[in-house]
Amino acid sequence: MHELIRDITLCILFAWMLGLLAHFSRQPLILAYLIAGFCIGPFGAGWVKSQESISVISELGLIFMLFMIGLEIDLKKIVRAGRVILFAAGGQLLGGCLLGVLFFAGIGLSFGGGHFDAVYLCIACALSSTVIIVKVLYEKRELDTLPGRITLGVLVLQDIFAILFLAVQPSLANLQVSVILLSIGRVAVLVAAALLVSRYVLPRLFHQIARRPELILLGALAWCFLVAETAERLSLSREMGALIAGVSLSTFPYALDVTAKVTTLRDFFITLFFVALGMTIPVPGLSVIGLALMIAAFTVVSRLVTTFTPLYLMKQGLRASLLPALNLAQISEFSLVVIQTGVTDNHIAAETANAASFAFVVLAVLSTFVMTRSDEITRWAIGPLKRIGLRDLDHGNGHAEEGHEGGHGEARRIVILGFFRAASALLAEIERQAPVLLEQITVVDFNPNVYQTLLSRGLHVIYGDISSADTLLHAGVGKSEMIILSVPDALLKGASNEKLVRHVRTLNPTAMIVATADLLSDVGELYEAGASYVTVTRLSDAHELFTVIEAAQAGLLADKRAELDLRLGERREVLP
């Protein structure tokens, strides 16, 4: 026991020190934890040698990580997942697994007879890292963009796929139809029981203890370990049970409260898991490094092929098809979980597992770098893709000088550059108060959903990137009378309101240019750049909130809400 406490102390100390280095060098924290484990483990300094300690630390971390992954799987969102996300995820998973089996079996890895290296690697390479993707997309403010939503939807369905694999994983050595059905049956029984209890029993209990944070936390942990132990008794695994426990809690009313209270504890045990995983990684030989590079290269290539292709075939355009493929081009932390279960059951060679861990590290670093520059990479790639014959959504509509209608042709009197929620609200307001004005408006944007929806409503829309000089030139903004920039800098890609104002003013010296300022200090700079008027959203928001306070003080808040509900009911916005 004293040795275990000492080992945990070393794990946390080195994880913190290397985590600080990773933070300042802008590298993934998971990479720091793996290196920390290697440094103090049997293959490093040798300060932690007890295999029992490593096993206990790893299993505890794994249980908590899967419990939290389960808590973050929103079943309602899966049910509401759009056709695009379902087809993209299906194409990526099925295509990735098929290519994986062919590739890994082709390079000589075992596929049966008690050894399933090729199977585990094809599953591991089909999954992408939720931790890395969400962190980078959040920092770039792209979680709510179309490529961001597609990426997150695919991630959720990848987690479901991993759950199904974990259900049959213990029976891989005796993979018969009856065995598979029995495993799935056990999972179904456990899931059904967990969902019923979380639906009808747990809400009442948690309602009674809602004001006692320590009991909320303790109750969540008790549920996690209860379901995990039940799964063990059903010949599944504690990790599988922890995942089911999290999924069952994700839909009940106190899920957010539980997640908030368990997050700190989760971070502690996830840190322990990755440090313990790092302890098992030996100094790599040339064969391990070679296999790791092949795994990494296969993951990137297969992800680009299997993600881009279904999205492109569903007419999402080159940009919205490329960005999710770039976002998903790494190996998941869940993949390491899958690999570790294979090592525990002697299904996969230690050398193969080590190579997968190294591939994870390589892709974690490269993927973070690529995702932060994904817009630049996408702009660079679209030209060559068009030259080899791939058509974008603007194909066949011509350029401004060709004067073709449909989705292209010269811009009209009023041009809206970029289309997000403010522009969506503006069009709805025009439709309500002055619908005739819609015939004088052109929208320029590269969101394929916006493009198709506006076309179907009869509006003039040009598909293109507003940060591109060619797009603005071909759109013919030089002849428009009013140009509206309604997208804030935080959401613009490859440009800013100031740069756009300067460029538009160069193309059109006489137009009225309306820009948007994020900060009060931006207003003066936008006027200097050539803006005719600058909107500051926070001012209109403040005015609206003040009228709400006045209505509440006068006892008229219900009337004001009814007025708002009436206005909302009349709107038919492109973006919800």
Side-chain angles (χ1 to χ4, degrees):
M1 176 60 71
H2 293 296
E3 187 176 350
L4 177 61
I5 294 174
R6 180 185 67 86
D7 292 344
I8 290 177
T9 301
L10 286 170
C11 289
I12 297 302
L13 180 61
F14 273 79
W16 179 65
M17 290 191 297
L18 289 174
L20 288 176
L21 288 176
H23 171 73
F24 291 122
S25 59
R26 300 184 65 81
Q27 295 301 318
L29 287 177
I30 292 174
L31 176 61
Y33 302 154
L34 289 170
I35 295 174
F38 173 79
C39 290
I40 65 177
F43 302 102
W47 292 329
V48 178
K49 297 179 180 178
S50 170
Q51 292 300 318
E52 185 178 352
S53 289
I54 295 172
S55 176
V56 169
I57 292 170
S58 177
E59 186 166 12
L60 276 174
L62 192 51
I63 287 172
F64 271 94
M65 185 169 77
L66 289 177
F67 178 56
M68 290 305 297
I69 288 175
L71 274 174
E72 291 166 3
I73 293 177
D74 192 331
L75 294 178
K76 293 177 181 177
K77 286 186 178 179
I78 295 174
V79 172
R80 295 196 303 264
R83 185 173 59 97
V84 170
I85 292 175
L86 291 174
F87 275 89
Q92 184 264 309
L93 289 168
L94 294 177
C97 288
L98 179 60
L99 292 176
V101 168
L102 294 174
F103 177 77
F104 292 119
I107 64 174
L109 294 180
S110 55
F111 189 67
H115 299 286
F116 303 97
D117 296 58
V119 175
Y120 276 90
L121 284 182
C122 84
I123 298 295
C125 291
L127 306 177
S128 304
S129 173
T130 302
V131 172
I132 294 172
I133 290 172
V134 171
K135 178 178 181 294
V136 176
L137 291 183
Y138 175 79
E139 289 176 350
K140 292 180 68 181
R141 300 191 181 184
E142 291 184 7
L143 285 171
D144 199 31
T145 63
L146 176 65
R149 289 197 300 272
I150 291 173
T151 301
L152 295 180
V154 173
L155 282 174
V156 170
L157 292 168
Q158 283 181 356
D159 289 341
I160 300 299
F161 174 75
I163 293 172
L164 295 175
F165 177 75
L166 289 178
V168 300
Q169 177 269 333
S171 308
L172 275 181
N174 184 29
L175 203 58
Q176 301 173 4
V177 175
S178 59
V179 174
I180 295 175
L181 292 177
L182 181 60
S183 296
I184 293 176
R186 288 170 177 163
V187 173
V189 169
L190 187 60
V191 169
L195 288 175
L196 286 173
V197 173
S198 66
R199 176 73 175 83
Y200 296 105
V201 179
L202 292 182
R204 296 180 182 179
L205 289 175
F206 276 79
H207 179 72
Q208 297 297 322
I209 60 173
R211 296 185 180 181
R212 302 295 296 273
E214 65 274 20
L215 287 181
I216 291 278
L217 174 60
L218 196 58
L221 297 181
W223 176 246
C224 170
F225 283 101
L226 173 63
V227 181
E229 200 58 36
T230 304
E232 181 74 13
R233 295 290 182 267
L234 290 173
S235 300
L236 296 169
S237 67
R238 290 188 179 91
E239 293 81 7
M240 179 77 182
L243 188 63
I244 293 171
V247 172
S248 65
L249 283 188
S250 68
T251 58
F252 96 134
Y254 296 92
L256 289 176
D257 197 31
V258 169
T259 303
K261 289 179 170 58
V262 178
T263 295
T264 303
L265 201 58
R266 171 207 65 179
D267 293 340
F268 173 74
F269 281 104
I270 285 179
T271 300
L272 289 183
F273 168 72
F274 284 110
V275 172
L277 185 62
M279 294 180 201
T280 65
I281 301 176
V283 177
L286 289 178
S287 61
V288 171
I289 293 175
L291 180 57
L293 292 178
M294 283 194 285
I295 293 171
F298 168 78
T299 300
V300 172
V301 173
S302 66
R303 196 75 86 250
L304 289 173
V305 171
T306 60
T307 306
F308 175 83
T309 304
L311 288 171
Y312 179 75
L313 293 176
M314 296 188 73
K315 302 187 184 305
Q316 294 303 296
L318 292 177
R319 182 180 182 277
S321 300
L322 272 173
L323 282 175
L326 293 175
N327 291 341
L328 294 163
Q330 72 285 119
I331 293 176
S332 172
E333 54 279 355
F334 213 152
S335 300
L336 301 182
V337 172
V338 170
I339 294 291
Q340 282 302 106
T341 58
V343 171
T344 302
D345 291 340
N346 296 315
H347 287 170
I348 181 172
E351 183 177 286
T352 305
N354 293 335
S357 297
F358 277 108
F360 170 85
V361 171
V362 170
L363 289 176
V365 176
L366 291 179
S367 178
T368 302
F369 174 82
V370 168
M371 286 181 67
T372 54
R373 293 161 179 79
S374 58
D375 291 292
E376 302 166 31
I377 294 171
T378 301
R379 288 190 181 91
W380 171 84
I382 284 176
L385 288 174
K386 286 184 174 180
R387 283 194 289 274
I388 64 173
L390 294 181
R391 300 176 176 180
D392 211 344
L393 294 183
D394 57 353
H395 179 83
N397 292 319
H399 289 308
E401 59 268 28
E402 296 170 359
H404 291 174
E405 285 299 324
H408 225 74
E410 280 196 356
R412 297 177 179 176
R413 192 170 69 86
I414 300 172
V415 179
I416 299 175
L417 293 182
F419 195 92
F420 202 57
R421 293 199 179 102
S424 176
L426 173 62
L427 281 189
E429 195 67 22
I430 292 173
E431 187 176 42
R432 189 175 71 89
Q433 296 198 43
V436 177
L437 195 59
L438 293 176
E439 298 175 0
Q440 304 174 41
I441 292 176
T442 292
V443 174
V444 184
D445 196 73
F446 53 30
N447 183 324
N449 287 351
V450 166
Y451 178 76
Q452 296 293 348
T453 303
L454 291 178
L455 277 183
S456 67
R457 292 192 182 184
L459 275 90
H460 188 245
V461 54
I462 296 174
Y463 180 84
D465 182 355
I466 62 172
S467 67
S468 166
D470 287 341
T471 295
L472 300 182
L473 183 64
H474 291 316
V477 298
K479 299 178 182 178
S480 299
E481 295 179 18
M482 175 177 283
I483 294 128
I484 299 173
L485 312 174
S486 64
V487 181
D489 286 347
L491 297 173
L492 284 173
K493 304 301 173 190
S496 65
N497 272 271
E498 183 186 356
K499 290 180 180 178
L500 284 173
V501 167
R502 290 187 187 280
H503 191 64
V504 170
R505 182 56 74 202
T506 302
L507 292 175
N508 192 330
T510 61
M512 292 175 284
I513 302 175
V514 180
T516 298
D518 285 343
L519 305 175
L520 296 180
S521 57
D522 293 339
V523 175
E525 294 176 358
L526 288 170
Y527 281 129
E528 288 179 10
S532 308
Y533 187 83
V534 178
T535 64
V536 185
T537 310
R538 63 204 283 180
L539 298 183
S540 56
D541 289 345
H543 175 73
E544 177 68 15
L545 288 172
F546 183 73
T547 62
V548 171
I549 293 173
E550 285 186 317
Q553 289 178 331
L556 300 173
L557 190 59
D559 294 338
K560 186 166 182 62
R561 175 177 171 178
E563 178 189 343
L564 178 61
D565 290 342
L566 181 63
R567 289 170 57 194
L568 292 175
E570 296 173 349
R571 301 181 80 82
R572 198 167 59 99
E573 290 204 23
V574 175
L575 298 175

